Amino acid sequence: MSRFKDGILIEADFVGVEFRIAGELSKDPQIIDDILSGKDVHKQTASIINQCDISEVDKPMRQAAKAYTFAPLYGGMGANEEPHIQRYFKEYFTIYKGLSAWHKELMDGVLRDGIVRTPSGREFYFPNARRLGNGRITNATQVVNFPVQSHATGDIVPLACIRALRFFRKHNLTSKLILTVHDSIIVDCCPGEIDKVKQGLTWAMKDIAEEIEQRFRYVPIIPLDIDIEGGKNWMDKEKLS
């Protein structure tokens, strides 16, 4: 509940940020095209997993398919899944060849140098990595996962919070930044400030590319997007136009 009388909680959530960052770092042309064309990749996944036409995918099916969409980004291979789901995992890297090549580059780099590095310069060390019989390496899931998660939730989300706070202070807002949850920012919004808070969160999160370049000397190629919801409590929210 809001601390303010008649206030609401507002949550701004980065849309598909892991998929976007995986495409950003791998430069996979198909991921880039999917994002820029607005393809619903979760519906695509659900249609394959449920072996149905994409027009038959409903909201629960789409939600359940998200884990499968993201799993290959994190090195998941679906070895214990049903045969048609295993086929999906195999085909994933046929569709996204650039992502597959980037995963191989990361693993080869760890074998050579023992290091994975993010665009901000953060480094993760794997000093005892070795090649396995299946061609992957030890800690492969962490090696391909850490750059995506670290850049998304360790670089971009905190930087967006800094930008949002800067905006709130510049415009003398009473509303408070209170929490981050994975790739979303929660604001306790004072009555009368809803539009200004939405404006600030949109600027802080969607228009972040220039500051990423300034701080990290890295030029993003994929735009970020957000959804904004609000309500009297965190469990009872609706999309804010």
Side-chain angles (χ1 to χ4, degrees), residues 18-19 21-23 25-28 31 69-77 89 92-93 96-111 115-116 131 135-149:
E18 295 95 344
F19 189 64
I21 296 304
L25 300 181
S26 68
K27 306 295 188 290
D28 185 293
I31 294 181
T69 298
F70 293 140
L73 302 180
Y74 308 147
M77 301 302 289
F89 280 91
Y92 191 95
F93 290 110
Y96 301 119
K97 295 184 178 70
L99 181 66
S100 177
W102 180 60
H103 282 182
K104 184 179 184 302
E105 179 184 327
L106 287 173
M107 288 187 280
D108 289 347
V110 164
L111 286 176
I115 297 173
V116 170
R131 184 76 69 184
R136 289 160 67 80
I137 67 170
T138 51
N139 301 114
T141 299
Q142 291 87 343
V143 168
V144 302
N145 183 12
F146 283 8
V148 174
Q149 292 286 357

Side-chain angles (χ1 to χ4, degrees), residues 9-59:
L9 298 182
I10 290 180
E11 179 174 10
D13 182 36
F14 278 112
V15 176
V17 69
E18 295 95 344
F19 189 64
R20 290 170 187 257
I21 296 304
E24 177 74 52
L25 300 181
S26 68
K27 306 295 188 290
D28 185 293
Q30 188 60 56
I31 294 181
I32 295 170
D33 184 68
D34 285 355
I35 291 168
L36 296 182
S37 66
K39 177 187 284 186
D40 189 328
V41 293
H42 298 310
K43 275 194 171 184
Q44 173 181 268
T45 301
S47 70
I48 298 171
I49 297 300
N50 293 282
Q51 300 177 292
C52 67
D53 188 81
I54 198 166
S55 63
E56 300 174 36
V57 174
D58 58 22
K59 189 173 182 179

Side-chain angles (χ1 to χ4, degrees), residues 110-162:
V110 164
L111 286 176
R112 183 181 61 251
D113 306 319
I115 297 173
V116 170
R117 185 178 291 107
T118 70
S120 66
R122 186 181 294 109
E123 294 180 341
F124 298 95
Y125 288 82
F126 300 90
N128 301 312
R130 66 183 188 281
R131 184 76 69 184
L132 300 176
N134 61 5
R136 289 160 67 80
I137 67 170
T138 51
N139 301 114
T141 299
Q142 291 87 343
V143 168
V144 302
N145 183 12
F146 283 8
V148 174
Q149 292 286 357
S150 178
H151 189 48
T153 59
D155 293 336
I156 292 176
V157 172
L159 181 55
C161 288
I162 292 170

